[in-house]
């Protein structure tokens, strides 16, 4: 088999694939990729048994065949090659790489040992309900937006693995995506394109979340088809097929911590608040704590910070509704994370019940994203 392909196209794909492959002394086959021809296209596959990727590429193809080779070797060769035209030849279990001024032979593994990545038909057959309630389609633009607004909140938790991912709660005609690290909570809603109700809620691992970012940054896709069974989820982009295991476990009842009533509502200019917050943060301790004081008479809020080396404060204009709130202490880094995730470039809303309950932050222009932050106990 002979393949001629552009270096730039192959390089992008290998860089995405490499992120899911890790050293595995017990199963060295997992440190390899499988290259084969399928439907007159070049197919490259990789898996770590938790995630699986099939990617189809165009190129000039002669003959057929398969080869299983180490990802690190081919990636380093392609990344360092100065030639745009790359020729790949398969002979027995080996891959021969040729360019204008370079030749290499990579000894491959037996491709029959490469794990099978369940294809779409296998996933569909495994769905208990055959009426396609577990198949939906969403806009990749909305998916990108969801990831942008939630990616910096999720974190890996050894003690609570159910928190190490994104919770997808399916409602009528929409998905409610939730992430939390137990101190802050992000909620984003997006519409389901084909108006299908999914009678299932799932937890998508954080590593899968990160891989989706790489795929979506590769090129523009209009929509993505999503298929869910009892323990797996598939994202089908057409020329990229991504399958991931789901996290087993019960997600915390996040709805019970969302305040339903508020005593004070603040409307602030987003950029002014960010600028002053950064200045005040120069005098914060390891807790990153700043004090927020509400000045009703002046229609301002005051940000206050103090450490052994000094102190600072800043005034910010605010539209204030409500009274009866003393100082509230918040982690300034977590505030900045929330503000950066809000799409509204002009104004933000702080909704506060009291000094010890979560603060709700959102944009004045509603974009179906809410950020909730626990205050620091004084």
């Amino acid at each position: 088999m002979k393949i001629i392909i552009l270096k730039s196209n192959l390089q992008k794909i290998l860089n995405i694939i490499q992120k899911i492959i890790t050293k595995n002394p017990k199963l060295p086959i997992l440190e390899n990729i499988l290259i084969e021809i399928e439907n007159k296209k070049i197919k490259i596959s990789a898996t770590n048994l938790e995630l699986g990727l099939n990617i189809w590429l165009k190129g000039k193809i002669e003959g057929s065949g398969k080869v299983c080779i180490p990802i690190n070797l081919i990636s380093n060769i392609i990344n360092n090659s100065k030639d745009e035209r790359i020729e790949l030849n398969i002979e027995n279990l080996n891959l021969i790489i040729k360019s204008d001024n370079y030749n290499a032979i990579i000894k491959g593994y037996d491709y029959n040992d490469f794990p099978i990545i369940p294809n779409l038909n296998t996933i569909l057959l495994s769905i208990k309900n055959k009426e396609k309630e577990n198949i939906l389609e969403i806009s990749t633009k909305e998916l990108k937006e969801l990831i942008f607004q939630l990616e910096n909140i999720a974190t890996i938790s050894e003690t609570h693995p159910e928190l190490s991912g994104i919770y997808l709660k399916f409602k009528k005609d929409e998905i409610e995506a939730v992430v939390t690290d137990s101190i802050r909570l992000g909620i984003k809603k997006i519409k389901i394109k084909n108006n299908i109700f999914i009678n299932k809620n799932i937890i998508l691992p954080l590593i899968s979340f990160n891989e989706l970012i790489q795929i979506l940054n590769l090129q523009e896709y209009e929509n993505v088809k999503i298929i869910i069974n009892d323990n797996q989820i598939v994202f089908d982009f057409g020329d990229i097929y991504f399958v991931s295991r789901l996290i087993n476990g019960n997600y915390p009842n996040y709805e019970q911590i969302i305040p339903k009533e508020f005593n004070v509502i603040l409307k602030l200019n987003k950029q002014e608040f960010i600028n002053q917050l950064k200045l005040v943060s120069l005098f914060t301790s390891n807790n990153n704590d700043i004090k927020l004081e509400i000045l009703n008479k002046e229609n301002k809020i005051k940000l206050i910070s103090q450490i052994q080396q000094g102190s600072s404060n800043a005034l910010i204009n605010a539209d204030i509704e409500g009274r009866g709130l003393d100082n509230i202490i918040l982690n300034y880094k977590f505030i900045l994370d929330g503000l950066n995730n809000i799409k509204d470039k002009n104004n933000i809303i702080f909704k506060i019940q009291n000094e010890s309950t979560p603060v709700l932050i959102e944009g004045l222009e509603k974009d179906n994203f809410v950020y909730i932050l626990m205050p620091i106990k004084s």
Side-chain angles (χ1 to χ4, degrees), residues 110-244:
D110 185 348
Y111 54 76
N112 293 308
D113 294 333
F114 192 83
I116 296 172
I117 298 172
N119 61 32
L120 195 57
N121 289 332
T122 303
I123 296 289
L124 290 173
L125 287 171
S126 69
I127 296 174
K128 290 179 180 178
N129 190 333
K130 306 299 181 184
E131 296 179 2
K132 295 189 177 180
E133 271 96 348
N134 287 32
I135 305 170
L136 61 140
E137 196 171 329
I138 61 173
S139 156
T140 52
K141 181 181 178 182
E142 286 195 283
L143 181 59
K144 261 187 174 181
E145 195 174 277
L146 180 154
I147 290 172
F148 166 75
Q149 293 181 297
L150 299 181
E151 64 177 314
N152 63 354
I153 304 172
T155 186
I156 297 294
S157 172
E158 298 292 338
T159 54
H160 299 285
E162 66 275 7
L163 297 184
S164 302
I166 173 173
Y167 180 61
L168 299 178
K169 185 174 184 177
F170 295 94
K171 298 184 175 182
K172 186 178 180 181
D173 301 340
E174 72 176 13
I175 303 171
E176 183 171 279
V178 183
V179 290
T180 183
D181 60 3
S182 74
I183 296 172
R184 56 216 173 122
L185 174 73
I187 303 173
K188 174 69 177 181
K189 296 178 181 179
I190 60 173
K191 292 292 182 184
I192 295 174
K193 202 165 184 65
N194 45 350
N195 297 326
I196 289 176
F197 178 72
I198 307 294
N199 188 24
K200 186 177 181 65
N201 300 321
I202 63 172
I203 306 173
L204 180 68
L206 185 56
I207 187 173
S208 306
F209 200 42
N210 294 334
E211 191 63 24
L212 277 174
I213 297 170
Q214 303 300 319
I215 293 170
L216 289 166
N217 287 338
L218 182 65
Q219 66 182 66
E220 292 296 325
Y221 298 96
E222 185 176 351
N223 302 309
V224 57
K225 185 184 290 183
I226 298 174
I227 302 98
I228 303 165
N229 70 2
D230 288 341
N231 55 17
Q232 291 173 311
I233 184 170
V234 170
F235 295 87
D236 186 3
F237 294 88
D239 57 358
I240 296 183
Y241 171 91
F242 176 49
V243 58
S244 168

Side-chain angles (χ1 to χ4, degrees), residues 4-12 74-88 97-104:
I4 296 175
I5 190 170
L6 295 178
K7 170 201 166 177
S8 53
N9 291 343
L10 183 56
Q11 188 177 32
K12 289 176 186 176
I74 186 171
S75 290
N76 285 329
I77 291 170
I78 299 303
N79 285 334
N80 287 290
S81 174
K82 303 300 180 185
D83 300 315
E84 180 62 11
R85 182 181 176 275
I86 303 292
E87 182 179 313
L88 306 177
I97 302 176
K98 295 180 181 180
S99 61
D100 292 342
N101 301 296
Y102 181 80
N103 287 338

Side-chain angles (χ1 to χ4, degrees), residues 17-32:
I17 286 175
Q18 201 161 23
K19 295 183 185 301
I20 74 168
I21 295 179
T22 55
K23 284 281 184 183
N24 196 320
K26 293 182 179 179
L27 285 171
I29 194 72
L30 298 180
E31 298 173 28
N32 292 258

